[in-house]
Amino acid sequence: MAVKESSQRLDRELYSRQLPVLGLPAMQRIQEAKVLLSGLQGLGAEVAKNLVLMGVGSLTLHDPQPTCWSDLAAQFLLSEKDLGKSRAEASQKHLAQLNEAVQVFVHASDITEDLLLKFQVVVLTSSKLEDQLTMGALCHKHGVCFIMADTRGLVGQVFSDFGDEFVVNDPTETEPLSPDIQHITQCSPDILTLREEDKELSFCDGDLVTFSGIEDMVELNGCPSQPIHVQRCSKVEDKYYARQNGTENYSGSGVGSFPEDRSLEVEDTSTFSPYLCGGTVTKDKGSETVRHKPLDRALLEPCVVASNACEVRRALCLHQAFRALHEFQHLYGRPLQPWDPVDAEIMVTLARNLGPLKEAEEEPLDEALVRMVALSSAGVLSPMAAILGAVAAQEVVKAISKKFMPLDQWLYFDALDCLPEDEKFLPNPEDCALKDWRYDGQIAVFGAGFQETLSCQRYLLVGAGAIGCELLKGFALMGLGAGTSGSVTVVDMDHIEYSNLSRQFLFRPWDIGKSKAEVAAAATQDLNPDLEVTAYTRILDHTTEDIYADNFFSHVDGVVAAVDTFKARYYLSARCIHYLKPLLEAGTLGTKGSASVFVPHVTEVYKGPVEASEGAPAPVCTLRYFPGTYEHTLQWAQNEFEELFRLPAETINRYQHRAATSLEDVSGLQMLTSLQLLLGVLRVRPQTWQDCVEWALGHWRLRFCDDIIRLLRLFPPYKVHEDGAPFWSGPKQCPQPLEFDISQDMHFLYILAAANLYAQMHGLPGSLDQPALRVLLKLLLQTDPPHVASIFHRETAKSDPEQLKELQESLEVWTKGPALKPLVFGKNEDSHFHVDFVRAAASLRSQNYGISEPADYAQISCSCQSKRIMSQIIPAIATTTAAVAGLLGLEMYKVVGSPRPVGAFRHTYLDLAGNRLERSVPSAPAIQNFHHLQWTHWDRLKEHHGLKVTMLLYDNALLYSAQDSAECQAQRLPLRVTELVQQVTGWVPEPERQRVLVLELSCEGEEDDTAFPPLHYELL
């Protein structure tokens, strides 16, 4: 289907996280699409919510059935006041509020063939088999994409039928192969050679490619796609390669002498300008055609999504189980009763009598699996609805956008591992009887006793962003902490921004600017008034351990991490290890996501990724001294923003709040660095706009002139390595200092942005008057430039007594006034100069090092890509977010229930674009040994173990060393531990917040890789 002219302009800011995942053409198709959704129980509500958040053009709801109590266990759009009302009509208003650009309609009458023709996609959820077959046949007949989804207790299915020939324009999420060009010959045949670092990239004969960024041979740029032929290099290229590498005397034969896949034969370029340098060759990703069977055939000839033979067998067994569930409903006119053994045996018999499936290897029916499906099938669970609803909604997006391969054709998912392994702990029919309660759907699976256990939990959620909002919704539906002794605490320091609204569904346009934690807490209580949610708006990290102290964590049963940095995850993991609390964490990147669980003494602790992820920050040395790409300068500029406008203010404020009498009580080096950055050319706290401009001009000279001159003194342009190779070569580009020029746009923009940010941090009024600023700058430039103390080697500075005394005097003056305002880089705060500063700083840094600024980044106001890089925006979409939250909900059932072995828990990785959902059992804790001791990361030392201690530390302070002088040991050994810590560190006991001292030790005879568990010294 051709993309229509968009009737409304795409809101790039709202979809700033989604655009990098789907791309503009796909988003335009989505914005124009019309979707029909029939079935508005929990699963349907999840599909609807995801589609509205992602910006589908219009969504028509169909479900005339009245709301009942069991719906409320998973249908977050409904409440007790909607009982008896049409599900679709009761849901419509709440859905429409999620995205004002999406039209949400209700179709109250029967679905007819003529109605189906009005839609590109039809979705059927929680429906009868006869309705599925009827609607599926009509959709297949008319070329309407058809998706069916269902959940029954702890099992679910999704089916896709996109017709006889459906063309997928962009099958994968991976970026197209796009290596750099080293050379292009103009002989017959014309040979393109790739750069050395791209030699591992693979091309195949017949691949279609395009060219861009080539200098001189510009005729190739923008040409239509052309096929290439992969060949080993000829002698011509051998000679060229030899010249480039200083080996002109090379005498190889040419055959196989050049790395494979580095030479590509391209079309005739003899009439083009000669090639000199630059350019990339990009491989077209190509399209693929999908051919799907209609539902009536696919029922008997199922093709299931599975990664191995074992998964295929289980999926086919679940396929038969669902058919038997429908057959039971057809014969008896009712669903199975929860945990009724009689109904379960009838269903097993029905499954057994279905007969073998066509084109499938005949396997004996796993009757135990079918029986367990039957016993638990009467329930409705919010985590299952979230997972299957995400998959189904992503299929809708695939059908509309023609981006990513659809399911082929059945996906089955089960979480029966949530049930106790020991049969004596399984629920009974009496415990699962319906009570006309909002948790009836969940009680039908786990029983009323388990529901009571859930309600008594006290959980801490860190992060109220996209995943956090989905988790809070799940907590409310599950009733986690909804009892009189239970609670949920949510921590998030951020405020709501416009771009959050496309994924963080608890927020509305009128919430912009408000605290995420506070708004999310209130919205969650609206979903479930029985749930008490407490919001904290201070960051949870090492700087706030006086707030989130021992007393705080003693009232927490577990922690859920919905944060977006590995640093934050590591910190939360350390807290959970310290307090022996389970940790559940999830993350997403586009259509990929993961959900993991870490249980004290049962699983291994959180360790993060084995290798740095793609796109990880470059090494500090590269960014600070030797940038080689524009991305390096952007990242440097982002760090510069943090080091100038956030970190110093936080450090100074901490000093001010602690009311330290001496800088020896805090980190003198950290304070020295912070104050140097704040002072710049000033010697007192700024009082006027002119002071701020003077500071900005001084810092411009420091960064783009003085620091470069100082670097060149250390590494002159003529410097060579010991082997004679030039130091400034390859990726190391020799920099040149800049002279301030008020006529240069980036020079002026830097001063304008930096001065305004500096003023904001000090609570002073800024200025947008550019002509007045130019006049002021001309006046300042007529005077001698003020001296700026170098902070180039600040990491090696020493906080000697004289320095500290001078710093103390300056600081006393600086802190006379209100607290400084730390500035947090805002992804959508262009008007507040955040983006302007980073843009200008990156451009100036690029000029220093002769780095070309890509055309895509030339205009920040209209460059979504550069803004995403500078804001470090993680590509994200609503479907993946909902799925990982649902997966954590399943693990929550296990953590809260009776003690489970490690084999009961699951780490899950999913890729909605690649149709992958992989679950694995976590590793058990690794055991370490030393003499008679054994321990894991979850253990700590408390008792006498007969170890001979050689070193004892508290934080970074050395309390005792076997190498200490006899006099020192005589002074320290008689002291109590608390007295020694107080003497060495100045630590002051605070019993209300700190219950233990955590000490690190080394012992005689330990190996280099021995890591003793911490010693917990309890404070009575």
Side-chain angles (χ1 to χ4, degrees):
M1 181 180 67
V3 180
K4 302 177 183 177
E5 187 69 29
S6 180
S7 59
Q8 56 182 348
R9 187 170 177 267
L10 184 69
D11 192 332
R12 291 172 179 262
E13 186 175 358
L14 178 64
Y15 301 113
S16 60
R17 295 286 192 102
Q18 186 171 303
L19 267 168
V21 182
L22 299 176
L24 183 59
M27 282 299 303
Q28 290 173 331
R29 290 189 178 97
I30 292 169
Q31 195 175 27
E32 294 294 330
K34 297 179 180 179
V35 179
L36 172 64
L37 170 63
S38 180
L40 263 295
Q41 291 179 291
L43 177 57
E46 288 287 341
V47 175
K49 175 256 299 176
N50 293 331
L51 293 178
V52 171
L53 289 175
M54 295 177 77
V56 70
S58 72
L59 179 65
T60 299
L61 309 176
H62 174 262
D63 192 336
Q65 295 301 314
T67 302
C68 61
W69 280 106
S70 61
D71 292 334
L72 304 186
Q75 226 285 27
F76 58 92
L77 300 170
L78 304 175
S79 64
E80 286 89 341
K81 66 182 180 181
D82 297 315
L83 292 170
K85 298 179 183 178
S86 158
R87 294 188 190 118
E89 292 178 356
S91 302
Q92 189 268 346
K93 177 182 177 181
H94 300 292
L95 282 171
Q97 290 179 347
L98 294 178
N99 191 339
E100 62 182 11
V102 176
Q103 296 176 297
V104 182
F105 304 107
V106 173
H107 181 76
S109 57
D110 293 341
I111 296 176
T112 64
E113 186 171 358
D114 290 339
L115 178 70
L116 295 178
L117 297 178
K118 298 179 180 180
F119 302 97
Q120 284 88 40
V121 187
V122 172
V123 186
L124 204 56
T125 71
S126 307
S127 53
K128 296 180 180 179
L129 179 59
E130 46 266 39
D131 294 334
Q132 297 172 9
L133 289 168
T134 300
M135 204 172 299
L138 291 173
C139 288
H140 194 89
K141 171 184 174 183
H142 293 291
V144 177
C145 293
F146 174 70
I147 297 160
M148 182 275 295
D150 198 1
T151 64
R152 303 293 182 96
L154 288 162
V155 296
Q157 63 176 180
V158 178
F159 170 78
S160 292
D161 173 13
F162 288 9
D164 295 325
E165 287 194 7
F166 180 84
V167 178
V168 182
N169 295 333
D170 190 357
T172 68
E173 190 178 16
T174 57
E175 290 297 318
L177 190 65
S178 189
D180 292 331
I181 299 170
Q182 179 173 309
H183 184 66
I184 304 175
T185 67
Q186 285 186 294
C187 54
S188 182
D190 297 330
I191 303 299
L192 179 152
T193 308
L194 303 180
R195 292 179 60 178
E196 175 71 23
E197 56 265 32
D198 293 325
K199 65 182 180 181
E200 300 299 328
L201 301 179
S202 297
F203 286 90
C204 298
D205 285 346
D207 283 347
L208 296 177
V209 299
T210 56
F211 303 92
S212 61
I214 298 174
E215 297 184 22
D216 295 293
M217 192 183 279
V218 294
E219 295 89 345
L220 271 180
N221 294 331
C223 282
S225 299
Q226 61 173 269
I228 52 95
H229 171 67
V230 179
Q231 63 169 221
R232 296 181 182 275
C233 65
S234 65
K235 293 182 180 180
V236 174
E237 281 73 52
D238 279 338
K239 292 178 181 178
Y240 172 79
Y241 183 68
R243 287 198 303 272
Q244 295 298 308
N245 290 275
T247 56
E248 291 90 342
N249 294 326
Y250 170 75
S251 58
S253 66
V255 179
S257 59
F258 205 68
E260 189 174 359
D261 286 352
R262 285 190 56 219
S263 299
L264 309 176
E265 182 178 331
V266 297
E267 292 183 355
D268 183 17
T269 63
S270 58
T271 61
F272 294 173
S273 306
Y275 176 86
L276 287 184
C277 63
T280 59
V281 54
T282 302
K283 177 181 176 181
D284 288 0
K285 294 172 72 172
S287 62
E288 292 191 33
T289 301
V290 173
R291 294 174 174 82
H292 280 164
K293 304 171 187 174
L295 179 59
D296 57 346
R297 281 184 56 200
L299 271 175
L300 301 177
E301 305 169 9
C303 183
V304 297
V305 176
S307 59
N308 55 57
C310 183
E311 288 186 6
V312 170
R313 289 192 294 271
R314 190 174 182 89
L316 291 177
C317 185
L318 292 173
H319 183 81
Q320 296 295 70
F322 267 91
R323 292 180 65 198
L325 284 168
H326 285 296
E327 184 66 14
F328 185 99
Q329 177 92 22
H330 176 72
L331 292 174
Y332 296 94
R334 63 171 178 84
L336 283 77
Q337 295 300 307
W339 293 94
D340 186 325
V342 176
D343 281 1
E345 289 308 317
I346 293 174
M347 189 183 123
V348 171
T349 301
L350 292 173
R352 191 186 302 127
N353 294 336
L354 287 172
L357 296 166
K358 296 180 181 178
E359 299 182 10
E361 293 185 16
E362 192 168 341
E363 295 278 350
L365 184 70
D366 186 343
E367 295 188 2
L369 175 59
V370 174
R371 186 174 293 106
M372 195 56 66
V373 171
L375 289 168
S376 59
S377 65
V380 179
L381 302 174
S382 63
M384 292 295 295
I387 298 165
L388 276 299
V391 174
Q394 191 67 48
E395 289 301 292
V396 174
V397 171
K398 293 175 184 178
I400 296 167
S401 66
K402 298 180 179 289
K403 187 177 180 74
F404 308 142
M405 293 295 289
L407 294 175
D408 186 25
Q409 287 184 266
W410 294 95
L411 172 75
Y412 283 95
F413 176 80
D414 80 271
L416 294 169
D417 44 79
C418 292
L419 297 171
E421 293 182 356
D422 192 333
E423 290 188 5
K424 68 181 181 182
F425 292 116
L426 292 174
N428 56 62
E430 293 74 23
D431 194 34
C432 298
L434 303 183
K435 303 177 182 295
D436 287 344
W437 197 21
R438 66 177 301 126
Y439 309 116
D440 274 353
Q442 191 163 262
I443 289 173
V445 178
F446 296 109
F450 181 78
Q451 188 63 48
E452 179 63 26
T453 302
L454 269 177
S455 70
C456 296
Q457 297 298 302
R458 300 168 300 178
Y459 260 77
L460 168 64
L461 170 65
V462 184
I467 298 176
C469 284
E470 289 287 342
L471 286 165
L472 285 170
K473 174 205 69 184
F475 294 169
L477 295 172
M478 294 164 64
L480 181 76
T484 55
S485 61
S487 66
V488 169
T489 301
V490 57
V491 175
D492 199 309
M493 64 175 289
D494 286 343
H495 291 76
I496 298 165
E497 299 174 353
Y498 182 62
S499 65
N500 299 150
L501 303 182
S502 67
R503 300 169 328 283
Q504 301 172 21
F505 84 101
L506 293 181
F507 307 144
R508 302 291 181 268
W510 51 84
D511 295 322
I512 292 173
K514 298 178 183 178
S515 161
K516 284 187 177 182
E518 292 174 350
V519 173
T524 305
Q525 288 181 294
D526 287 341
L527 291 177
N528 186 346
D530 295 333
L531 179 58
E532 178 185 343
V533 185
T534 304
Y536 280 75
T537 58
R538 292 287 299 277
I539 190 172
L540 197 161
D541 66 6
H542 68 281
T543 66
T544 54
E545 289 182 1
D546 57 330
I547 299 172
Y548 308 105
D550 291 357
N551 188 56
F552 176 87
F553 275 96
S554 68
H555 293 88
V556 168
D557 293 318
V559 178
V560 184
V563 294
D564 55 8
T565 68
F566 290 122
K567 180 180 178 182
R569 290 187 180 97
Y570 280 122
Y571 179 78
L572 291 175
S573 174
R575 293 287 84 192
C576 288
I577 295 169
H578 176 78
Y579 293 109
L580 294 180
K581 305 295 182 182
L583 171 67
L584 298 93
E585 72 87 21
T588 67
L589 182 65
T591 62
K592 299 178 176 66
S594 64
S596 305
V597 57
F598 307 93
V599 183
H601 302 300
V602 177
T603 73
E604 185 58 280
V605 300
Y606 173 81
K607 292 184 177 179
V610 176
E611 298 178 353
S613 59
E614 185 178 350
V620 173
C621 187
T622 299
L623 295 181
R624 189 174 294 176
Y625 309 131
F626 311 118
T629 67
Y630 185 71
E631 286 73 16
H632 289 163
T633 67
L634 276 176
Q635 196 171 331
W636 174 86
Q638 175 89 34
N639 294 345
E640 182 81 347
F641 182 98
E642 296 287 304
E643 292 182 3
L644 288 175
F645 306 118
R646 183 176 73 83
L647 297 178
E650 291 177 348
T651 303
I652 301 297
N653 289 346
R654 282 202 298 275
Y655 167 83
Q656 197 172 15
H657 292 325
R658 290 171 65 171
T661 58
S662 169
L663 284 179
E664 294 177 359
D665 296 337
V666 294
S667 170
L669 177 57
Q670 183 183 25
M671 192 64 69
L672 178 63
T673 299
S674 296
L675 196 58
Q676 280 181 326
L677 288 165
L678 278 175
L679 283 171
V681 298
L682 305 179
R683 284 296 172 264
V684 295
R685 181 169 176 148
Q687 302 295 321
T688 66
W689 166 243
Q690 180 170 332
D691 290 341
C692 299
V693 174
E694 286 186 33
W695 174 88
L697 182 59
H699 198 78
W700 190 102
R701 285 168 167 152
L702 173 69
R703 281 292 183 246
F704 306 111
C705 182
D706 296 350
D707 277 356
I708 300 300
I709 292 173
R710 200 166 288 109
L711 178 64
L712 291 175
R713 287 174 184 163
L714 291 173
F715 307 109
Y718 51 79
K719 181 178 175 61
V720 295
H721 291 290
E722 291 182 359
D723 61 1
F727 178 84
W728 295 106
S729 62
K732 289 182 180 177
Q733 303 186 50
C734 185
Q736 297 296 324
L738 302 179
E739 288 295 327
F740 185 81
D741 184 348
I742 196 173
S743 66
Q744 295 292 318
D745 289 343
M746 285 299 125
H747 295 218
F748 180 77
L749 179 61
Y750 181 94
I751 303 299
L752 177 66
N756 273 282
L757 293 169
Y758 194 66
Q760 290 175 29
M761 185 169 62
H762 288 89
L764 298 173
S767 174
L768 298 176
D769 190 340
Q770 297 189 24
L773 177 58
R774 291 184 185 276
V775 172
L776 177 57
L777 282 172
K778 289 178 180 178
L779 180 64
L780 293 174
L781 290 169
Q782 292 173 3
T783 62
D784 291 334
H787 171 71
V788 181
S790 173
I791 55 175
F792 186 81
H793 288 298
R794 62 180 180 270
E795 63 271 22
T796 62
K798 295 181 179 179
S799 51
D800 57 61
E802 287 299 318
Q803 256 185 332
L804 289 177
K805 181 180 178 181
E806 181 182 347
L807 179 58
Q808 180 91 41
E809 293 172 356
S810 299
L811 196 57
E812 292 298 330
V813 175
W814 205 272
T815 54
K816 288 179 181 178
L820 300 179
K821 177 186 178 183
L823 304 183
V824 178
F825 187 83
K827 295 181 283 294
N828 303 303
E829 297 194 43
D830 305 59
S831 61
H832 294 170
F833 298 103
H834 295 202
V835 172
D836 286 339
F837 174 84
V838 174
R839 172 70 179 90
S843 178
L844 293 167
R845 186 75 163 171
S846 296
Q847 293 176 39
N848 275 138
Y849 283 86
I851 297 171
S852 299
E853 185 175 354
D856 286 348
Y857 306 147
Q859 295 295 328
I860 183 61
S861 60
C862 60
S863 175
C864 177
Q865 185 178 6
S866 63
K867 188 174 180 182
R868 175 167 64 87
I869 292 174
M870 287 187 288
S871 304
Q872 296 180 351
I873 293 177
I874 301 172
I877 52 176
T879 48
T880 318
T881 299
V884 297
L887 291 165
L888 282 192
L890 295 177
E891 298 308 306
M892 181 71 74
Y893 287 139
K894 306 170 189 177
V895 173
V896 169
S898 56
R900 304 287 185 90
V902 66
F905 297 98
R906 296 291 185 273
H907 291 335
T908 306
Y909 167 82
L910 66 88
D911 178 0
L912 295 178
N915 302 321
R916 294 172 59 195
L917 203 162
E918 300 171 358
R919 307 181 78 204
S920 60
V921 175
S923 301
I927 297 176
Q928 299 187 60
N929 298 277
F930 181 75
H931 296 336
H932 60 285
L933 289 180
Q934 282 192 337
W935 69 90
T936 73
H937 286 294
W938 293 106
D939 292 314
R940 66 281 310 275
L941 297 174
K942 285 187 176 181
E943 304 169 353
H944 297 285
H945 295 283
L947 300 175
K948 186 172 181 179
V949 177
T950 58
M951 188 178 294
L952 188 67
L953 298 96
Y954 175 69
D955 284 342
N956 294 320
L958 180 63
L959 303 180
Y960 166 79
S961 171
Q963 304 302 317
D964 286 342
S965 65
E967 180 182 358
C968 181
Q969 293 193 25
Q971 292 176 351
R972 294 189 174 186
L973 286 176
L975 298 176
R976 295 175 58 86
V977 171
T978 51
E979 293 172 336
L980 180 58
V981 172
Q982 196 165 0
Q983 182 185 99
V984 173
T985 69
W987 168 78
V988 178
E990 297 180 69
E992 67 279 3
R993 77 173 190 89
Q994 188 174 9
R995 299 181 180 183
V996 298
L997 289 175
V998 181
L999 309 176
E1000 303 293 332
L1001 73 161
S1002 296
C1003 296
E1004 188 176 88
E1006 70 175 83
E1007 301 291 337
D1008 290 341
D1009 59 351
T1010 303
F1012 285 102
L1015 172 62
H1016 279 215
Y1017 184 87
E1018 296 185 359
L1019 303 174
L1020 302 178

